Amino acid sequence: MTTPIDPFEAEPLQGAVPSADEMVEVFDKEATAGEVMASGGFLRNMVRVFGENKLAVISLIFLIFVVLFCFVGPHLYHTNQTNAQQALQSSTPDNGPPSRANPLGTDPSGFDILGRLMYGGQISLIVGFAAAIVATVVGVIYGALSGFFGGAFDSLLMRFVDIGLSIPILLLLIALVAIYKPNAAMLIFVIAAVSWLVPARLIRAEALSLRNREYVQAVRVMGGSRSRIIGRHIIPNSVGTIVVFATFNVADSILLLASLGFLGFGVPAPQTDWGSMLSVAVNSAANGYWWQIYPVGILIVLVVVALNYIGDALRDSLEVRLQSR
Amino acid sequence: MLGYLIRRTIQALIVILGVTLIVFLLGQLIPGGQARAALGPKATYAQLHHYDVQYGLNQPIWVQYWHYLLGLFKGNLGYSVKRNQTVAASIGVALPRTILLVGISTIFALIVAVPIGVSQAVRRNSAYDYAMTGISFFLYAIPAFLIATLLIIWFSFDLGWFPSSVPTDAGLWSIFTDPRSFVLPVFSLAALTIASYSRYMRSSVLDTLTEDYIRTARAKGAGSRRVLYGHALRNALLPLLTLIGLTLPAIVGGAVIIEDVFNYPGMGLLTVQAANNDDIPLVLGTTLVLTVATVVGSLLADLLYAAADPRIRLGAE
Amino acid sequence: MKGSIRRLVASGLAVGALTTGLITTLPAATATAGAATPSVATWAEAPQTPPNYIFPFMGLQYFSVSNINNFQFLMYRPLYWFGNGSTPNLDPALSLANQPSYSNGSKTVTVSLKNYKWSNGESVTATDVMFWMNMLHAEKANWADYSQGALPDNIKSITVNSPTKVTFNLTAPVNSYWFTYNELSQITPMPLAWDVTATGAAAGSGGCAKAAYGTVDTQCTAVYTFLSKQAGFDPSNPKGANNALPTYATNPLWQVVDGPWKLSVFDASGNVTMVPNKTYSGPTKPTISKFVEVPFTTDSAEFNALVSGSVDVGYLPTSDVTSSTSNPTTAGSNNPRLESSYSMSPLYTWSINYFPYNFNSTGDGGAAGPIFKQLYFRQAFQTLVDQPLYNQKIFKGYGIPTYGPVPVYPQNSFVSSYEKKNPYTYNVSNAKKLLSSHGWTVVPGGTSYCKNPGTGKGQCGAGIQKNAKLSFNLEYATGSSATTQLMNAEKSSWGQAGINVNLSGASFNTVLGNAVPCTSGQSCSWELENWGAGWVFAPDYYPTGEAIFQTGAGSNSGSYSSKQNDTNIAATTSKNTSLANYENYLTQQLPVVYQPNAVTSLTEIKKGLTGVTPQSPLWSINPENWRF
């Protein structure tokens, strides 16, 4: 289940709205300032540390395989995934166990499950990635603006974020989805709508600290415009945090979509996603249709774990302090 | 400290007010209207209109919101037509159950997660650390309903150790008198937070261990155990409070799913049912109460943290 | 250091293990009461529908099966009982009066009451009937089943001839079936003990019962308000706090019953216990000592209760149906986990399933309405709905097709042979031919378009432009996986003739809210809305359709309008003609899209308990017939 503040972050000061001085103190310890960025050694460093993390590399390869499986797979393995009338009329049994014709069995509508994993995976991955991108972009801009301008404007903007973060995500999602019709495109925005709050907070903290750095003040003195400061200094210096957050957010979005699908608020049929596949299967758990549960369940878990390992490795490679092990 | 307390409380109040507005507006946005929802497909126009008049639904929105707020101050959370009882009555029965479930799960998760996280930090990058991290990742990646389902399949259907749902006439304290049916729900809910708490403890202890004052203590010759228990642990535990406060919304969200799967008659199940029934007053009531509970919980966590952390207590504002 | 860490970890894990160990050694909780003593019968309520209103004169918001058929009817008998065996017919044995007699050109109805007694010693008399009618006269706006022109508007006068005889004089002649089944069916006689405006007042002091018809509106309003408040509804302030539910079992008012049961325990979550009424005057007295209704939050909770045997009469959730049946009316194999202790009996409701076309729709670029108005299109559309296949595959055989406005099952004498034969059997080539012979270019798998517009023979029809597309939006109520499957199957089927239907899901109430009749000219963009439940004929047991298909009727969502149909309907309600003409016309004319009607419930009955079947298609339960 997703959490508003990712516990996999190292900063223990999340929570009480920290004062700007506190945040500067924390990030000063990090020493990932713009000076290092300028040299480019930063990026090379990141890749090197990432490459040393074998689990992360394996995860990356696994993810690439999954993407190929979902998007290229259907071209190699043809099944009927959309024509419900045909599925009903065909002789393939509903809820059929794995067989020569259906390597992973069939679901209650008669659709082949292996093909459905590919088809559902497309939706899960697309919605997951798209929602994370939208959430990150919106959150970054919101947080950067809020943190940079500071003062009452910042307080007001962060108040909205606090309100949003206080409502349990699932409740908000249920309410939103119950009102709006849940097609795949809407779901991207609905999930992004509850996910942008966290990066907004993170980037705002970064912006708060960075805006007091000497080089930023220097730019201001030199007459640099605000947008230049935000665009050329604050955001690029937060890239590390942004990328780490985005990676975790893809995993969270996939999980959120799965939960929605389980509750019956996912993509409308005949489209499906991994979560919706599980909602159908859970009901027949008692009837022993294990092929409807384990393959898709394991796939979700592996993809999310892979994303988490990658995100963890990215975060580690940002931690200058921990690089000096 | 007092200034912080006051400011933080005012923040919380504003948040609560904002939540009532959001929740109220959401209730108004459902097409078809509350009259149609209550009366069903056979209602005539006359009956729909009569209902609107009787229930004050034909008044302007701000008037309805004002009456709603006034009612809140008097403790009236609204009236649920579908159940023919006050929202407060329905919530009064369900809320203690959810608090109990969340409370026990959290305590259980802490008991298991803290030692694991600490041990992981101390033995960083060992095989043990990697193994526990791997397990944590898996637990964190499994959706709540999948954990619950798998537990039901393994422990309830296959092994028959625990029932797969809570008895329908379970009282509030049945969790202590008849714990067998509550084991799986508590485990499922705790499984999610164990992963994140242990990971957090690990990070937190790691960070604390590399702090300057720790190095100072070591340099002064303090033994490792003294360092660990005396300094690192205490300081690493503090942010955990904040984490608990922060993850409360997520835990409550997880409780919604767990309660749904196990038919545990708490706030989560009540909300899902109310949403499915389009029981608007009840949805407003439960979302408001749950959000207030999480805001209060988070506020308490922040205040505890502030009280414990000298930097904030001594007014480094 | 290592040692202490290990101890730390060990203690953490040990606590976890210890707790688990402790719990597994604890004894399991005893099963819920009800399965213990054999003379207590436990019945599972459908999830989320606990009874929540006890006063029979109620508004539409409380008008539900769980309140009426599963709760109030057990205590307060309606004047006439419907549901005889497995047919929806009038059951004279369980009615409080003999069959009504019609005279004076069907303008006078005489009702002779039997000798039923109330539990407080009163007899059920004609005055009790007048009590209800007076209250109806005063408070028809608050009565669930009121619609303009129907009861009590069609009553000229009512006379109490004697304690056992009451005569209704009507404003116009009526069809006797219609008046008995749809109008008299609404009456529940009330005891004089309820004719009060304060607790403890003398019976009859309210002044509503013993008075000439229609002359005591003020008094009846006061009595209505008092009784409603006792039940938890304050008509003047419905949102005010009034937690009456916990008082149901103790309030002496509600203890005055004429049915076989009286209330002994009631709580707000839906736990209901009833005990036999010793003074019940009906033909079958209860033999079990207690009847218990148990609430469940979800289907799976109920299923678990069945598996553990703590419920005597329950239902099998659709997701737990493991095998199909070849004949919808007989049960196939039971779920293996229930096989040994329960027998299964399918229950179908007296209802039809359909969803409306919006004949005034401005959708599809303005073409939707005009296209729907063309009979040949509706015929093609209906011909592609393969009801037998869906019943067999999606509902596992537990489904009945709907061919017209009268249900083909449960068995009844109202359905015509024309309807039963189904003039529109599944036939893809017929559907394509219907379209192509009327100027459409059929694009299977794509979107067909109008090649030959105009109003002449072989042309698309009035209001349809050249190149108009057969592309429509269908919004359906999600929440049931079977409905979702059904919608998808039909979508694929319609696509075979190039009819492109875009599905979107929404909540039940959203769909209902959108499916409103709109007049032409007013912006009315919905095209097809499916709430999945069609129309249940209760308490309008005689399926005359004036509420659904008559021009301008409140529930005529699609604004279907046909003079022939209006004439047919008028004949069925005011003249003694049969339903045949009305029914055949609408079977042929397809005013709505008829849909397969799934089984309402697969009732699970514990082996050894008799008297539960045959089940009433109107959902009433009669625990007084149950015997262990």
Side-chain angles (χ1 to χ4, degrees), chain C residues 84-96:
Chain C
N84 193 346
S86 56
T87 72
N89 296 335
L90 180 97
D91 187 349
L94 289 179
S95 302
L96 298 178

Side-chain angles (χ1 to χ4, degrees), chain C residues 68-102:
Chain C
I68 305 173
N69 309 67
N70 300 336
F71 183 56
Q72 292 170 7
F73 273 6
L74 277 73
M75 303 180 285
Y76 317 113
R77 286 305 213 215
L79 183 64
Y80 285 107
W81 186 272
F82 293 87
N84 193 346
S86 56
T87 72
N89 296 335
L90 180 97
D91 187 349
L94 289 179
S95 302
L96 298 178
N98 299 319
Q99 301 234 33
S101 68
Y102 289 78

Side-chain angles (χ1 to χ4, degrees), chain A residues 219-293:
Chain A
V219 171
R220 272 162 124 176
V221 163
M222 285 191 284
S225 72
R226 287 198 190 121
S227 57
R228 183 191 172 86
I229 296 174
I230 294 175
R232 292 287 296 271
H233 293 276
I234 293 189
I235 290 183
N237 274 303
S238 322
V239 154
T241 320
I242 294 177
V243 167
V244 170
F245 166 78
T247 313
F248 286 125
N249 198 244
V250 173
D252 283 347
S253 299
I254 293 181
L255 283 179
L256 271 178
L257 182 64
S259 301
L260 279 180
F262 172 75
L263 289 175
F265 297 122
V267 285
Q271 281 186 316
T272 189
D273 65 279
W274 287 331
S276 298
M277 289 174 74
L278 271 173
S279 87
V280 174
V282 161
N283 279 332
S284 31
N287 298 315
Y289 302 142
W290 58 267
W291 56 90
Q292 293 176 350
I293 307 174

Side-chain angles (χ1 to χ4, degrees), chain A residues 1-17 19 22 25 29 159 162-163 165-168 170-172 174-175 179-180 201 252 255 258-259 262-263 265 278 282 285-286 293-294 297 300-302 304-305 308-309 312 315 321-322 325, chain B residues 4 11 14-15 18-19 22 26 29-30 124-125 134 137-138 140-143 145-146 149-150 153-154 157 192 196 199-200 203 207 210-211 239 242-243 246-247 249-250 252-254 256-257 260-261 271-272 275-276 287 290-291 294-295 302 305 311-312 316:
Chain A
M1 201 56 207
T2 185
T3 55
I5 293 290
D6 193 334
F8 293 87
E9 289 282 339
E11 285 75 39
L13 269 179
Q14 310 283 4
V17 179
S19 71
E22 278 177 344
E25 203 188 309
K29 288 185 203 159
R159 226 35 354 100
D162 284 341
I163 292 177
L165 281 175
S166 302
I167 306 182
L170 201 59
L171 292 180
L172 197 56
I174 292 176
I179 296 172
Y180 301 105
R201 258 238 176 134
D252 283 347
L255 283 179
S259 301
F262 172 75
L263 289 175
F265 297 122
L278 271 173
V282 161
I293 307 174
Y294 289 108
I300 291 184
V301 171
L302 287 181
V304 171
V305 164
N308 279 331
Y309 270 130
D312 214 42
R315 189 187 53 75
R321 202 163 10 130
L322 286 180
R325 305 181 215 185
Chain B
Y4 179 73
Q11 273 179 26
I14 296 178
V15 167
V19 168
I22 291 179
L26 281 178
L29 285 173
I30 296 184
R124 187 162 60 98
N125 294 335
F137 268 161
F138 270 95
Y140 193 68
I142 303 182
F145 61 87
L146 191 56
T149 312
L150 290 177
I153 296 179
W154 297 333
F157 292 155
L192 310 165
S196 53
R199 279 299 292 176
Y200 196 88
S203 303
D207 286 340
T210 52
E211 293 276 350
T242 323
L243 180 65
L246 273 176
T247 53
V252 167
V256 168
I257 297 197
D260 184 63
V261 175
T271 313
V272 171
N276 279 327
T287 308
L290 277 178
T291 309
T294 51
V295 167
D302 277 353
Y305 182 81
R311 285 179 294 184
I312 299 182

Side-chain angles (χ1 to χ4, degrees), chain B residues 30-32 36-45 47 50-51 54-57 64 76 78-79 81-86 89 108 111-112 115-116 118-119 122-123 128 157 161-162 164-165 168-169 178-180 183 187 224-225 228-229 260-261 263 265 269 273-274 276-278, chain C residues 1 4-5 8-9 12-13 15-16 19-20 23-24 26-29 32 48 52-53 60-62 141-147 231-233 235 238-243 245 248 268 294-298 300-301 304 337 507 509-510 512-514 516-517 531 535-536 538 540 555:
Chain B
I30 296 184
R36 190 49 107 163
L39 300 182
K42 288 190 160 192
T44 62
Y45 267 138
Q47 286 170 321
H50 185 62
Y51 187 92
Q54 266 187 330
Y55 285 80
L57 295 173
Q64 293 187 49
N76 176 9
Y79 197 82
V81 174
K82 299 252 164 152
R83 292 174 164 245
N84 197 21
Q85 52 180 324
T86 52
F108 183 79
I111 291 176
V112 173
I116 291 180
V118 168
S119 67
V122 170
R123 305 166 95 189
Y128 169 79
F157 292 155
W161 287 356
F162 306 108
S164 58
S165 68
T168 47
D169 58 353
D178 171 31
R180 185 180 277 232
V183 167
F187 256 78
S224 295
R225 186 187 298 189
L228 184 64
Y229 288 136
D260 184 63
V261 175
N263 304 306
L269 192 56
Q273 289 175 352
N276 279 327
N277 269 345
D278 271 313
Chain C
M1 172 174 111
S4 68
I5 301 305
L8 237 166
V9 172
L13 294 172
V15 170
T19 333
T20 322
I23 287 167
T24 42
L26 285 171
T32 12
Q48 317 246 32
N52 63 6
Y53 204 77
L60 195 50
Q61 63 264 44
Y62 301 115
N142 280 316
W143 167 237
D145 206 24
Y146 171 66
S147 62
F233 174 68
K239 294 207 284 195
N242 184 349
N243 289 309
L245 286 174
Y248 279 3
V294 184
F296 290 97
T297 45
T298 58
S300 47
N304 291 331
R337 304 177 76 201
S507 73
N509 292 294
T510 306
L512 275 187
N514 289 336
V516 288
W531 57 88
W535 185 272
V536 176
D540 50 327
S555 301

Side-chain angles (χ1 to χ4, degrees), chain C residues 471-475 491 500-504:
Chain C
S471 174
F472 307 107
N473 296 327
L474 169 51
E475 187 182 50
K491 172 194 160 74
N500 183 13
V501 174
N502 301 310
L503 296 176
S504 63

